[in-house]
Amino acid sequence: MSRGIAKYNKRRVLIAGGAAAVVLSGAVIVSSAMAGEGDSGQAAADGRTAASPGSVNCPDVAPSLPAIPASAQAEVDRNLALLNTQISEANQRLVSTVGQGGANFVQNAILGPLEDKRVATINRIATAIGRTAEKPAGLDSLAACTLNAGAAGEGAGAGDAGNAGGDAGAGDAGAGDAGAGEAGAGNAGAGAGDAGAGNAGGDAGNAGGDGADGATGASTVNCPDVAPSLPAIPASAQAEVDRNLALLDTQISEANQRLIDTVGQGGPNFVQNAILGPLEDKRVATINRIATAIGRTAEKPAGLDSLAACALNG
């Protein structure tokens, strides 16, 4: 009897020991798997960091501005917000175009067009201030941006501290590029209602302006039509080209409205400095975006900048 009990107890010890060994082995396997998974996750994270496209770093414009007249405050604020939006768009393009193009792709397709847009926007800020106070000079030096390489996680919306995020989506409403904001990739803000090849809307605005402005004596602007000078447009670029052609029309309409609103203001060079000059800057930036859109999948058209300058219909 006692020998039977001893054998039974011995069997229980062996079974319990075996079960413990199985549990311990399982724990070792699970721990190894988790460690491997952690290493794999870390490696993936390291890979993502290495593939980070970086972010753009642009000088902050606001601290360089003089005292802003109350009459210009709203327009200045809109254009400062637009500078932020342009940085966010450029950062988004860095993310969406990783691996595309050659050695100069980022400069030619992102930083260059961004500088053009910033030049036009900064000029509008200076012009707004200059209507009722001394026009600030030298702000164009703040237009160029550089690339913060390898800044993981700083993708869209990361500029310098002063420009970070901004009021993303704010277009050039009002006295800026009203109704055809430059927010979103490739001027996605431009309304479909403004669409139309070339400067058709602008020409209509010029023609209609002659009648509307007759009583006030205001002239209208006359800008070269861009659409007829474009090569065949790749299907992938058609929507962006159309948006920017529509924006050219909107810019003409706004310039004509400013001619009406500012009749009798300023000296002999007022129209050139306050209307035609800023209009040319905006057209340069917009035309460059058209050329860049085409150049992503076809030969980039050259010489379109010659169509940027506008004259005055007396």
Side-chain angles (χ1 to χ4, degrees), residues 170-227:
D172 251 343
D177 288 338
E182 294 179 6
N187 276 351
D194 293 332
N199 276 337
D203 294 340
N206 289 342
D210 292 337
D213 299 343
T216 64
S219 302
T220 57
V221 296
N222 183 18
C223 303
D225 196 357
V226 173

Side-chain angles (χ1 to χ4, degrees), residues 71-169:
S71 59
Q73 188 68 59
E75 186 171 356
V76 170
D77 287 345
R78 280 194 299 270
N79 283 287
L80 287 175
L82 181 57
L83 290 173
N84 296 334
T85 301
Q86 291 163 352
I87 291 173
S88 297
E89 294 170 356
N91 281 324
Q92 184 56 47
R93 290 189 193 109
L94 284 172
V95 174
S96 61
T97 59
V98 169
Q100 293 184 22
N104 297 320
F105 176 81
V106 170
Q107 178 60 45
N108 294 338
I110 298 177
L111 292 183
L114 175 60
E115 181 176 357
D116 293 334
K117 289 198 283 186
R118 283 173 61 85
V119 165
T121 305
I122 290 171
N123 281 343
R124 288 196 292 274
I125 291 173
T127 298
I129 295 172
R131 290 193 186 105
T132 52
E134 183 177 357
K135 182 177 180 179
L139 294 180
D140 282 359
S141 64
L142 303 174
C145 302
T146 57
L147 188 66
N148 290 326
E154 287 185 15
D160 59 354
N163 288 337
D167 294 328

